[in-house]
C-alpha cells in the first residue's frame, strides 16, 4: 500500500515538475532553452552581429531567429555604407536587417556613427573643422533620423581613444578636436530622443589607461548633462586572456549611472582549434556572462557573429579563429553550452 502510494505521489510530482519546466521554457524562465530566452529571463538581451548578405542562408537565419533576441548590423550602418558620397544616403541592406529584427521582436544596436575606420573616402578630403562638424552632424541627423524610433541603442562614437588613454588622431580629432565626441552625442540625441546613446571601444574591458580615460570622459559627460546612456565594451578576446578586472571595470562604469554592454564578443584561438582551447574558451565565455549578470546595469551581451564560418577573426588575425559559439557547420560548441548554463538556461 505504502509503496504504491509513494509511487503515485512520486509520479504526480515528477509530471508536475515536468510541466513546470516546460512552462518555464515557454515563458523564458529558469531552464530556458535558447540564449535569447535565457538572457531575457534575466532581463538581458543576448544579441549577435548580423550581415544582411547571409540572411538568405537558411541555417544562418534559423539560428539567428531561434537563439538571439538582439542584433547589431556588422557593417550595414557604417559611414561608408550609409553615406558613400556626401549627401547621398543609402539604407537598403540596413533596412532589410531592421525589418527582419523588428518582425521577430529583437532589439537593435545601431553601429556606428563616428569612427575612423570604414569611413566614406570623401570625409578624408575635408580640410576644415567647421566643414567636418557640418558633415558629421548632418550624417548623424540623417542616419539616426532615418531609423528614428526603431533602434534601442546607437554606438555614437567608436574607438576614439588609444591604449595609453590619449585620443586617437582620427580626422575628427585632428580637425574638430576633443569636442567632436560631445557634438556627436548631442546630434544623435536630437535626431532620436528614444534611442540610448553609447560610446564603444576595445581594449577597455579591464581596468587600464584606456578605460580610465573613457571613464573620465563619461564622468564628465554625466556631470555636464552631455547625453550618454551606455558604454560598450567590444570584448574581442584571446582565449585564456579575459581581463581579471572585467567585472570591477563594468561595475565602476555602471556606478556612473550608464548601462554597460558587452558589444562584440568573440574569443579567438590558433586554428585548427585544440580541444584544450575549446574547453578554455567555454570557461572564458561563462566568466564573461557571469560578470555581466553580476552588474545590474549590464543590459546586453552581443557576440560578433553567429558562426565561425563568417567570423571576421580569420581575416583580421591570420592563423586564428574558432571564436564564436557555433562552429562553421552551426554545431553548438562547448562555449555555447557554458554560455547558456551561465545565463541560467
Ligand atoms: C568588422 C567587421 O566584422 C568586418 O566585416 C569588417 O570588414 C571590418 O569591421 N570593431 C568594430 C567592428 O567596432 O565594427 C568591426 O567589425 C570589428 C572591430
Amino acid at each position: 500500500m505504502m509503496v504504491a502510494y509513494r509511487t503515485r505521489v512520486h509520479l504526480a510530482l515528477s509530471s508536475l515538475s515536468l510541466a513546470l519546466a516546460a512552462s518555464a521554457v515557454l515563458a523564458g524562465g529558469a531552464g530556458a532553452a535558447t540564449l535569447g530566452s535565457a538572457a531575457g529571463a534575466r532581463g538581458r538581451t543576448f544579441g549577435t552581429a548580423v550581415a544582411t548578405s547571409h540572411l538568405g542562408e537558411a541555417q544562418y537565419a534559423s539560428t539567428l531567429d531561434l537563439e538571439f533576441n538582439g542584433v547589431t548590423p556588422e557593417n550595414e550602418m557604417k559611414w561608408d555604407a550609409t553615406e558613400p558620397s556626401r549627401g547621398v544616403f543609402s539604407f537598403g541592406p540596413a533596412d532589410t536587417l531592421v525589418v527582419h529584427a523588428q518582425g521577430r521582436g529583437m532589439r537593435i544596436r545601431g553601429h556606428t556613427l563616428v569612427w575612423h575606420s570604414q569611413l566614406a573616402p570623401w570625409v578624408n578630403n575635408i580640410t576644415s573643422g567647421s566643414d567636418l562638424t557640418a558633415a558629421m552632424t548632418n550624417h548623424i541627423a540623417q542616419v539616426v533620423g532615418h531609423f528614428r524610433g526603431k533602434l534601442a541603442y546607437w554606438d555614437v562614437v567608436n574607438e576614439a581613444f588609444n591604449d595609453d588613454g590619449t585620443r586617437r588622431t582620427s580626422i575628427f580629432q585632428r580637425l574638430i578636436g576633443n569636442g567632436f565626441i560631445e557634438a556627436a552625442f548631442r546630434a544623435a540625441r536630437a535626431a532620436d530622443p528614444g534611442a540610448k546613446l553609447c560610446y564603444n571601444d576595445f581594449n577597455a574591458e579591464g581596468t587600464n589607461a584606456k578605460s580610465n580615460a573613457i571613464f573620465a570622459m563619461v564622468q564628465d559627460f554625466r556631470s555636464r548633462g552631455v547625453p550618454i546612456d551606455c558604454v560598450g565594451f567590444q570584448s574581442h578576446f584571446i582565449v585564456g586572456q579575459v581581463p581579471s578586472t572585467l567585472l570591477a571595470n563594468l561595475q565602476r562604469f555602471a556606478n556612473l549611472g550608464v548601462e554597460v554592454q558587452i558589444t562584440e564578443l568573440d574569443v579567438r584561438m590558433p586554428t585548427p582549434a585544440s580541444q584544450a582551447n575549446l574547453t578554455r574558451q567555454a570557461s572564458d565565455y561563462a566568466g564573461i556572462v557571469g560578470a555581466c549578470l553580476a552588474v545590474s546595469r549590464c543590459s546586453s551581451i552581443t557576440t560578433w557573429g553567429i558562426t565561425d564560418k563568417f567570423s571576421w577573426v580569420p581575416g583580421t588575425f591570420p592563423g586564428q579563429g574558432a571564436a564564436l559559439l557555433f562552429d562553421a557547420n552551426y554545431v553548438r560548441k562547448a562555449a555555447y553550452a557554458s554560455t547558456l548554463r551561465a545565463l541560467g538556461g
Side-chain angles (χ1 to χ4, degrees):
M1 259 328 254
M2 203 56 207
V3 170
Y5 172 77
R6 278 230 199 100
T7 307
R8 247 179 291 133
V9 169
H10 179 76
L11 275 174
L13 281 177
S14 44
S15 50
L16 177 66
S17 56
L18 268 179
L20 283 173
S23 62
V25 167
L26 290 173
T34 70
L35 301 168
S37 59
R42 310 293 295 266
R44 267 77 172 186
T45 302
F46 203 98
T48 179
V50 172
T52 306
S53 58
H54 299 321
L55 284 176
E57 181 170 298
Q59 259 187 309
Y60 184 89
S62 62
T63 307
L64 167 64
D65 295 348
L66 177 67
E67 290 285 349
F68 297 91
N69 62 352
V71 302
T72 302
E74 187 168 357
N75 292 297
E76 292 77 353
M77 291 186 188
K78 292 171 180 175
W79 198 316
D80 60 355
T82 53
E83 193 184 2
S85 308
R86 191 165 191 170
V88 178
F89 291 87
S90 136
F91 296 114
D95 284 343
T96 300
L97 184 49
V98 168
V99 167
H100 185 100
Q102 277 195 313
R104 291 159 182 83
M106 298 168 174
R107 303 190 93 190
I108 305 166
R109 298 191 81 259
H111 175 82
T112 176
L113 296 166
V114 182
W115 188 27
H116 66 277
S117 187
Q118 292 176 281
L119 190 55
W122 63 266
V123 181
N124 289 306
N125 298 330
I126 292 178
T127 53
S128 80
S130 58
D131 196 22
L132 184 56
T133 299
M136 181 186 80
T137 52
N138 184 57
H139 178 76
I140 294 170
Q142 298 301 318
V143 175
V144 176
H146 177 81
F147 297 106
R148 183 183 172 113
K150 296 180 177 171
L151 307 196
Y153 299 93
W154 263 111
D155 284 332
V156 178
V157 176
N158 198 31
E159 304 183 352
F161 287 86
N162 295 312
D163 285 353
D164 67 2
T166 59
R167 287 290 188 91
R168 181 193 293 274
T169 50
S170 67
I171 187 164
F172 303 101
Q173 184 68 31
R174 278 190 289 109
L175 296 190
I176 305 175
N178 282 342
F180 88 86
I181 300 183
E182 172 171 352
F185 275 84
R186 291 191 188 282
R189 181 67 100 227
D192 185 354
K196 291 185 177 172
L197 306 180
C198 311
Y199 176 80
N200 192 55
D201 215 326
F202 67 98
N203 283 358
E205 295 81 10
T207 304
N208 57 34
K210 188 174 197 170
S211 64
N212 287 347
I214 297 167
F215 183 85
M217 177 187 76
V218 175
Q219 195 168 38
D220 169 55
F221 280 13
R222 298 291 290 181
S223 73
R224 291 190 297 111
V226 180
I228 185 167
D229 306 300
C230 35
V231 178
F233 299 88
Q234 292 185 10
S235 308
H236 295 292
F237 292 130
I238 296 169
V239 71
Q241 295 184 30
V242 177
S244 58
T245 50
L246 174 64
L247 198 167
N249 192 47
L250 293 176
Q251 187 64 62
R252 72 168 172 157
F253 278 87
N255 291 346
L256 295 175
V258 290
E259 287 180 29
V260 293
Q261 305 185 322
I262 305 292
T263 53
E264 305 183 14
L265 177 59
D266 47 27
V267 180
R268 63 186 183 265
M269 62 186 70
T271 49
S274 70
Q275 206 47 247
N277 275 337
L278 290 168
T279 303
R280 204 171 304 159
Q281 179 186 53
S283 74
D284 286 347
Y285 267 96
I288 295 155
V289 170
C292 181
L293 291 179
V295 176
S296 59
R297 286 199 178 97
C298 184
S299 51
S300 85
I301 299 169
T302 300
T303 58
W304 204 242
I306 299 170
T307 158
D308 291 338
K309 181 178 184 181
F310 298 130
S311 166
W312 77 306
V313 168
T316 310
F317 307 98
Q320 298 185 64
L324 294 167
L325 301 179
F326 295 82
D327 76 9
N329 298 311
Y330 294 93
V331 175
R332 291 167 171 76
K333 295 160 66 179
Y336 172 91
S338 69
T339 297
L340 185 59
R341 213 175 308 119
L343 289 167

